[in-house]
């Protein structure tokens, strides 16, 4: 027991310091808490002076919520702005330093591309009437807004609602420039958001004069011309500096729809549009009615350029090809292309004919097409209905889901892995990692041959091939080896065409079937020469040699199967009169995209149809409108030429007897497959039920024969 009277033992110096620190912490924390409580109480008493009630309190609450939502809105706006500002990366101010003149396959000039800086006329040197005509028509408040004209947009919305149609546009010149410099013409919400942010960005980085200069130099003006100086030379044979008011009004009218109002195509429409521009000048207060009267009475006369349309979508693609193959220091060039004006015209006519006839019925507004000859020469490109309305090339830049038109890549991989057209695979229901694809008609196909599966476009068969036999990687590798440059997703749904591909990719891939299994021959530039005649590129000599990607046996199997699609499959509307053709239809989910890609021994053509905003069509399949567009084009393209057989098939002509036998043979194969499936069908009764049925059978067999009861008639007969 410790004696309390004894003195305690003194603690060491370390313990004393620790006790001091502990005491300091305790006191400091107490003081901080005490001071905080004092401050909070004082602050509460102070702010009680500002406490409001009634309607004032409601106002304060609304302002508070507004600030909160505003802060959140700023964060959202910043997130939306980031993708737009990424478009400004790189030297976007630089103009193309190439000047290329393009010739068709026969040596005729078809257009030019490339903007030379010296061709640009400064805004200060342009006539006053040119600037006023453009501003009065395109953006009257150009010098008053900061990229987005809210008043002009509101006025346009009001006028469009009142007219129940689009009669006025609300985009400012800055917005149009942002679209021309950085964006495409796709009608999507994402594009409009980017356009708004980029307009503000341009206003912050450029002066009004610089924005107007770029707009006048970069806008498409019809006839294959870009920029107002090039348009003045093309239509009037003079510089923009020398334009009179009537000519300035005609050029200003082209910005809205350069193809529709191009004077060398439709002079009456161009003059009517110029008259509208003159009225705009008066309405805007830029000129009086007396000043424009002379221009109304004496409309502009143009230089006769003929009615030959410029193949602008083809030229845009060919210009990109030139920039890929041109050597450093070579900027002024002449390109000999593989373009065929007759096939181009037929392709455009077929697309426009069917869109006019059936566009409303199917709720489809756009289409694209690429035609490649068997030697790899790209003969025609349709990038859309109207280049003046949209310079976005849907044939070479739009990534659209391919649907069942992707299946030939799956079947080609299967043929290389030992399958044949007569191989039988189950077309019944299948699940793959939670994914359960269905056939178009919703039913089960049972056991079918691969010939039937591809002709009838059965979905479950290629999925089963990929899941149980092939895998995704070999299929992706096959598509890429066949010339597909679009990024393909390594996902199981890829086998049914969920990856986006371009029309050019589809035409390139299918052309392998027409080119005996070889890839690497597709080209649009056959020769590139300088202005002095020096050859700097020759496809025949400088292009890498083609390489085989499909064996002869696999190619024969594939072409045999694909040739059955127009005969007894989903593409009967694509069948050519007395000519053997092959191909595959494609339809995506909700009918957003419809494809037909087909070939003969002479040509391969890919057709896509849909809407720019990805809205669904009205039940349009690849076997309907796209197949009809393809058929009309190909029927023309094969007139008066030497028909070539499809590789692996004996002749290019349809033999009705052979076709009938093929259909009959396919029916027999289907019946045989169904019989095999029935024979191999597993038992569905339990062992107890089966045994009971067998016992009942034996009882019936051993039971005595029952005699009919005796009647007076039978007794009398005895």
């Amino acid at each position: 027991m410790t004696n309390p009277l004894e003195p305690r033992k003194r603690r060491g110096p370390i313990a004393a310091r620790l006790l001091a620190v502990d005491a300091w912490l305790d006191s400091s924390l107490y003081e901080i808490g005490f001071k905080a409580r004092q401050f909070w109480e004082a602050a509460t008493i102070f702010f009680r002076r500002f406490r409001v009630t009634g309607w004032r309190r409601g106002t304060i609450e609304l302002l508070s919520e507004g600030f909160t939502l505003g802060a959140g809105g700023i964060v959202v706006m910043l997130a939306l702005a980031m993708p737009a500002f990424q478009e400004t990366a790189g030297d976007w101010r630089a103009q193309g330093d190439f000047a290329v003149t393009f010739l068709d396959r026969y040596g005729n000039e078809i257009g030019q591309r490339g903007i030379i800086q010296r061709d640009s006329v400064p805004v200060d040197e342009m006539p006053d009437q040119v600037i006023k005509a453009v501003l009065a028509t395109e953006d009257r408040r150009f010098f008053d807004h900061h990229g987005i004209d809210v008043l002009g947009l509101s006025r346009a919305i009001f006028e469009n609602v009142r007219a129940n149609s689009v009669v006025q546009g609300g985009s400012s010149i800055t917005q149009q420039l942002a679209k021309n410099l950085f964006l495409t013409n796709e009608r999507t919400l994402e594009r409009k958001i980017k356009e708004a942010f980029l307009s503000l960005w341009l206003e912050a980085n450029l002066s009004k004069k610089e924005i107007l200069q770029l707009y006048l130099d970069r806008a498409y003006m019809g006839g294959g011309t870009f920029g107002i100086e090039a348009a003045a030379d093309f239509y009037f044979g003079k510089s923009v500096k020398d334009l009179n008011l009537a000519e300035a009004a005609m050029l200003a009218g082209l910005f809205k729809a350069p193809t529709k109002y191009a004077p060398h195509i439709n002079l009456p429409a161009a003059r009517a549009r110029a008259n509208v521009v003159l009225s705009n000048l008066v309405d805007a207060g830029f000129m009086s009615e007396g000043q424009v009267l002379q221009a109304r009475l004496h409309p502009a006369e143009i230089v006769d350029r003929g009615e030959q349309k410029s193949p602008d979508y083809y030229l845009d693609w060919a210009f990109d090809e030139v920039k890929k193959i041109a050597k450093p220091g070579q900027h002024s060039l002449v390109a000999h292309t593989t373009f065929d004006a007759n096939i181009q015209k037929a392709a455009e006519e077929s697309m426009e004919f069917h869109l006019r006839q059936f566009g409303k019925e199917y709720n489809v507004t756009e289409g694209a097409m690429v035609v490649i000859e068997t030697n790899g020469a790209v003969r025609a490109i349709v990038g859309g209905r109207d280049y003046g309305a949209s310079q976005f090339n849907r044939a070479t830049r739009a990534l659209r889901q391919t649907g069942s038109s992707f299946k030939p890549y799956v079947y080609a991989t299967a043929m290389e892995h030992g399958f044949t057209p007569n191989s039988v695979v189950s077309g019944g229901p299948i699940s793959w990692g939670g994914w359960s694809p269905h056939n178009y008609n919703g039913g089960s196909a049972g056991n079918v041959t691969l010939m039937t599966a591809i002709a009838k476009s059965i979905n479950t068969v290629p999925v089963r091939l990929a899941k149980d036999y092939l895998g995704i990687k070999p299929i992706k590798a096959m598509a890429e080896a066949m010339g597909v440059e679009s990024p393909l997703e390594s996902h199981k749904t890829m086998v049914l065409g969920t990856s986006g591909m371009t029309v050019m990719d589809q035409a390139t891939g299918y052309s392998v079937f027409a080119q005996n299994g070889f890839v690497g021959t597709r080209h649009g530039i056959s020769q590139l020469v300088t202005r002095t005649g020096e050859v700097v590129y020759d496809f025949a000599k400088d292009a890498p040699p083609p390489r085989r990607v499909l064996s002869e046996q696999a190619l024969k199997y594939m072409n045999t199967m694909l040739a059955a699609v127009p005969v007894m499959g989903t593409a009967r509307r694509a069948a050519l009169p007395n000519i053997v053709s092959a191909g595959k239809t494609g339809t995506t989910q909700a009918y957003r995209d419809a494809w037909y890609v087909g070939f003969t021994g002479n040509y391969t053509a890919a057709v896509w149809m849909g809407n720019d905003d990805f809205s669904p069509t009205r039940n349009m399949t690849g076997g309907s409108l796209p197949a009809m567009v393809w058929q009309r084009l190909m029927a023309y393209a094969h007139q008066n030429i030497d028909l070539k057989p499809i590789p692996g098939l004996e002749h290019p002509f349809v033999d009705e007897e052979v076709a009938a036998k093929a259909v009959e043979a396919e029916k027999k194969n289907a019946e045989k497959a169904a019989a095999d499936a029935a024979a191999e069908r597993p038992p569905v009764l339990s062992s107890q039920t089966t045994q009971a049925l067998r016992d009942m059978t034996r009882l019936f067999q051993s039971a005595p024969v029952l005699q009919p009861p005796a009647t007076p008639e039978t007794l009398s007969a005895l």
Side-chain angles (χ1 to χ4, degrees):
M1 183 175 178
T2 303
N3 187 359
L5 300 178
E6 291 183 0
R8 292 182 179 181
K9 185 183 294 186
R10 297 185 62 183
R11 299 179 185 275
I14 297 177
R17 290 192 187 95
L18 291 175
L19 286 172
V21 170
D22 181 66
W24 177 80
L25 285 173
D26 288 342
S27 61
S28 298
L29 291 174
Y30 176 79
E31 288 292 331
I32 291 172
F34 180 75
K35 294 292 184 182
R37 288 191 295 272
Q38 278 188 322
F39 174 79
W40 181 256
E41 185 176 359
T44 303
I45 294 172
F46 175 78
F47 281 107
R48 280 176 182 171
R49 302 176 185 176
F50 305 99
R51 180 176 294 177
V52 293
T53 58
W55 66 270
R56 294 183 180 86
R57 181 180 180 86
T59 303
I60 296 298
E61 291 291 339
L62 287 176
L63 291 174
S64 176
E65 292 298 325
F67 282 123
T68 302
L69 293 175
I74 291 174
V75 174
V76 173
M77 293 288 282
L78 182 62
L80 293 173
M82 292 303 293
F85 294 150
Q86 291 175 359
E87 303 286 345
T88 63
D91 190 9
W92 58 271
R93 288 175 178 261
Q95 296 190 356
D97 55 355
F98 284 89
V100 184
T101 299
F102 292 92
L103 311 178
D104 67 9
R105 62 183 298 191
Y106 302 112
N108 303 311
E109 182 175 336
I110 55 175
Q112 298 179 351
R113 283 294 184 271
I115 302 174
I116 307 294
Q117 188 65 42
R118 66 175 180 268
D119 291 338
S120 174
V121 175
V123 171
D124 293 334
E125 299 180 15
M126 293 184 188
D128 186 56
Q129 61 260 26
V130 172
I131 303 301
K132 287 182 176 179
V134 173
L135 294 182
T137 305
E138 295 300 311
D139 191 354
R140 298 178 186 180
R141 302 184 65 255
F142 173 68
F143 289 100
D144 298 324
H145 62 69
H146 298 284
I148 301 175
D149 185 7
V150 179
L151 294 179
L153 181 61
S154 302
R155 183 181 65 251
I157 293 174
F158 175 77
E159 292 295 334
N160 292 338
V161 171
R162 190 174 68 172
N164 197 27
S165 65
V166 180
V167 296
Q168 284 191 16
S171 296
S172 66
I173 282 179
T174 312
Q175 288 176 274
Q176 295 179 57
L177 178 63
K179 181 179 66 176
N180 292 339
L181 288 177
F182 305 113
L183 305 173
T184 70
N185 287 73
E186 286 187 298
R187 297 179 181 179
T188 61
L189 179 61
E190 179 185 6
R191 199 268 291 172
K192 294 299 292 184
I193 293 174
K194 286 184 178 181
E195 180 185 290
F197 281 114
L198 289 170
S199 300
L200 300 175
W201 185 87
L202 285 172
E203 291 279 347
N205 287 272
L206 298 177
S207 67
K208 286 289 186 178
K209 184 184 294 185
E210 289 175 314
I211 292 173
L212 185 58
Q213 183 75 63
L214 282 172
Y215 178 71
L216 294 176
D217 284 345
R218 300 295 183 92
Y220 179 68
M221 305 291 287
T225 61
F226 287 83
I228 198 166
E229 171 66 8
D233 178 68
F234 181 79
Y235 294 121
F236 308 116
K238 60 175 71 173
S239 170
V240 68
K241 300 177 184 179
D242 303 320
L243 295 179
N244 58 38
L245 180 57
E247 294 165 343
M250 186 170 286
L251 288 188
L254 292 175
F255 288 94
K256 179 181 180 180
T259 303
K260 181 179 179 180
Y261 298 119
H264 71 301
I265 299 296
N266 193 341
L267 185 58
R271 286 178 171 171
R273 175 65 178 165
N275 202 46
V276 172
V277 173
L278 294 174
S279 298
N280 291 338
L281 281 166
V282 177
D283 294 341
F286 294 163
M287 289 185 178
S288 66
E289 185 62 47
Q291 289 175 301
V292 304
L293 180 59
Q294 188 69 12
R296 292 189 194 274
L297 295 176
H298 301 283
E301 298 288 344
I302 66 167
V303 176
D304 185 9
R305 301 287 185 182
E307 296 186 1
Q308 180 65 42
K309 289 181 63 178
S310 175
D312 293 305
Y313 289 116
Y314 190 101
L315 292 176
D316 286 348
W317 173 75
F319 188 47
D320 291 335
E321 295 295 299
V322 168
K323 289 187 283 188
K324 291 178 184 178
I325 62 180
K327 299 177 182 177
Q330 299 170 347
H331 302 296
S332 186
L333 301 165
V334 176
H336 295 262
T337 72
T338 59
F339 176 78
D340 189 306
N342 293 324
I343 294 180
Q344 177 72 32
K345 184 178 180 180
E348 292 174 352
E349 188 276 335
S350 181
M351 182 67 71
E352 186 62 23
F353 172 82
H354 287 92
L355 285 173
R356 284 181 181 273
Q357 290 286 104
F358 306 103
K360 290 185 178 180
E361 176 184 344
Y362 285 102
N363 188 35
V364 57
T365 58
E366 275 295 351
M369 192 186 319
V370 172
V371 183
I372 302 179
E373 196 169 339
T374 305
N375 58 10
V378 179
R379 297 302 187 196
I381 296 176
V382 178
R385 297 183 70 178
D386 187 347
Y387 187 84
S390 170
Q391 290 88 57
F392 179 66
N393 196 332
R394 296 158 188 80
T396 61
R397 297 178 60 189
L399 295 175
R400 305 294 298 223
Q401 291 187 346
T402 57
S404 294
S405 63
F406 185 85
K407 291 176 182 176
Y409 303 108
V410 180
Y411 286 104
T413 308
M415 297 302 109
E416 291 288 1
H417 282 71
F419 285 82
T420 71
N422 293 322
S423 297
V424 177
V425 176
S426 172
I430 184 173
S431 293
W432 188 358
W435 177 49
S436 300
H438 301 285
N439 295 319
Y440 179 75
N441 58 10
S444 175
N447 285 2
V448 294
T449 63
L450 296 189
M451 172 84 80
T452 300
I454 196 170
K456 305 297 183 183
S457 199
I458 299 172
N459 289 334
T460 52
V461 170
V463 175
R464 192 175 304 277
L465 287 174
K467 177 179 181 291
D468 297 341
Y469 303 101
L470 305 175
I472 294 297
K473 287 184 178 180
I475 296 172
K476 180 181 178 183
M478 174 61 75
E480 292 172 344
M482 292 175 67
V484 175
E485 298 176 354
S486 303
L488 298 175
E489 299 176 359
S490 297
H491 192 266
K492 52 181 174 288
T493 59
M494 178 189 71
V495 300
L496 295 185
T498 57
S499 291
M501 290 172 59
T502 65
V503 181
M504 180 65 77
D505 276 344
Q506 285 280 70
T508 303
Y510 275 65
S511 67
V512 173
F513 300 125
Q515 296 176 35
N516 205 26
F518 285 87
V519 72
T521 63
R522 189 200 77 192
H523 63 287
I525 308 298
S526 57
Q527 198 174 65
L528 205 57
V529 300
T530 65
R531 300 288 177 176
T532 60
E534 177 188 357
V535 178
V536 297
Y537 173 83
D538 191 318
F539 177 80
K541 298 178 181 178
D542 300 326
R547 63 187 186 280
R548 177 176 287 279
V549 294
L550 281 180
S551 65
E552 293 185 7
Q553 188 62 64
L555 177 73
K556 181 178 181 180
Y557 286 157
M558 282 304 303
N559 287 348
T560 300
M561 293 195 300
L562 292 173
V565 178
V567 176
M568 59 185 186
T570 57
R572 300 190 183 191
R573 294 183 181 180
L576 295 173
N578 202 36
I579 299 175
V580 175
S581 66
K584 185 69 187 75
T585 58
T587 309
T588 63
Q589 191 174 16
Y591 300 97
R592 288 187 174 89
D593 304 276
W595 295 77
Y596 184 69
V597 192
F599 57 94
T600 66
N602 297 82
Y603 293 102
T604 300
V607 178
W608 164 85
M609 302 185 78
N611 296 310
D612 283 344
D613 59 2
F614 293 90
S615 60
T617 64
R618 190 172 292 114
N619 299 332
M620 183 178 67
T621 64
S624 58
L625 218 53
M628 294 159 64
V629 171
W630 187 93
Q631 196 275 345
R632 185 179 178 92
L633 162 68
M634 285 298 199
Y636 169 83
H638 287 78
Q639 292 178 4
N640 302 320
I641 64 172
D642 293 331
L643 297 180
K644 301 176 183 178
I646 294 176
L649 305 183
E650 293 183 358
H651 47 73
F653 298 102
V654 174
D655 188 322
E656 298 296 339
E657 183 179 352
V658 172
K661 289 182 179 179
V663 173
E664 184 64 28
E666 185 54 35
K667 288 182 180 179
K668 291 182 178 179
N669 286 335
E671 293 173 358
K672 182 177 182 299
D676 292 342
E680 297 173 1
R681 186 175 295 125
V684 294
L685 300 178
S686 65
S687 58
Q688 293 86 350
T689 303
T690 303
Q691 185 61 42
L693 290 174
R694 287 175 177 172
D695 293 341
M696 292 173 62
T697 301
R698 284 194 294 270
L699 288 173
F700 280 122
Q701 291 175 346
S702 60
V705 178
L706 295 178
Q707 298 294 335
T711 62
E713 290 79 4
T714 56
L715 292 175
S716 61
L718 294 173

